[in-house]
Amino acid sequence: MKKRGFEIVSRYDKQQIQLPQRQTQFAAGYDLQAAEDFLVPSIWRSGALPTPAALKPVLVPTGIKVFLPSDEVLLLVSRSSGPLKRGLVIPNSVGVIDADYYNNPNNEGEIFVQMLNFFSQDYWIHKGERICQGIFTKYLITTDDVQNTIKRNGGFGSSGK
């Protein structure tokens, strides 16, 4: 059985998408790329202070999904160059991809990366541009944890609905 890794979701051709890779020998994170060109509007678009509507993140598609053991999670974190060079941040600081997100019926488990653009100009992410890092890690539960039997039946942001 597969332990952990990435796959391309069915709505993309396998030649269109590159699976995440670590960029150096000791890199902790796998760089995820944008699956298509995507506009991330500036929160300063109007020139005035950002409105609540301007602070709504966009969801950038990656075209990939992840499979991992039930006691692990994939953390999505900003690349160090994202905020500094492009003004792009993950608004919740860390995205969490649980094991049961894989192949969910709503979106096949495709990973979307939430992004905000804090620079004064809109930013076009180009297909294949590295947009965040994915870091695999184990997590712990309490000794008196009550095992939840509810199955995930949706995609992005579906738990707790």
Side-chain angles (χ1 to χ4, degrees):
M1 177 172 179
K2 300 177 186 178
K3 279 273 279 174
R4 82 185 54 77
F6 298 99
E7 296 174 348
I8 298 169
V9 297
S10 61
R11 73 183 185 110
Y12 289 98
D13 184 288
K14 296 204 184 307
Q15 283 74 38
Q16 294 177 315
I17 304 295
Q18 183 177 347
L19 293 177
Q21 298 177 355
R22 294 180 317 123
Q23 297 300 308
T24 64
Q25 181 180 3
F26 299 115
Y30 288 79
D31 285 348
L32 280 69
Q33 301 177 0
E36 50 197 65
D37 291 347
F38 205 90
L39 176 68
V40 184
S42 168
I43 65 168
W44 303 98
R45 187 175 256 193
S46 67
L49 290 175
T51 64
L55 293 173
K56 182 176 180 179
V58 295
L59 298 175
V60 181
T62 65
I64 61 158
K65 56 186 173 180
V66 65
F67 56 90
L68 57 156
S70 60
D71 65 343
E72 290 186 12
V73 65
L74 179 71
L75 302 177
L76 302 180
V77 298
S78 292
R79 296 184 65 238
S80 58
S81 63
L84 179 66
K85 294 181 179 176
R86 296 183 293 279
L88 301 178
V89 296
I90 297 175
N92 55 347
S93 299
V94 176
V96 175
I97 309 295
D98 299 308
D100 63 354
Y101 191 68
Y102 177 75
N103 277 347
N104 74 73
N106 189 23
N107 68 3
E108 196 184 333
E110 181 176 1
I111 297 171
F112 290 83
V113 180
Q114 291 186 61
M115 302 214 97
L116 281 176
N117 173 3
F118 283 96
F119 278 7
S120 59
Q121 301 284 323
D122 291 347
Y123 187 84
W124 274 100
I125 292 175
H126 297 289
K127 179 185 175 303
E129 185 173 338
R130 295 178 289 162
I131 55 175
C132 77
Q133 298 179 72
I135 300 172
F136 291 93
T137 189
K138 287 192 174 287
Y139 66 89
L140 303 173
I141 58 174
T142 64
T143 54
D144 60 351
D145 184 66
V146 177
Q147 180 64 43
N148 195 324
T149 59
I150 297 172
K151 301 276 187 198
R152 179 185 297 272
N153 62 8
F156 194 90
S158 63
S159 62
K161 284 187 179 178

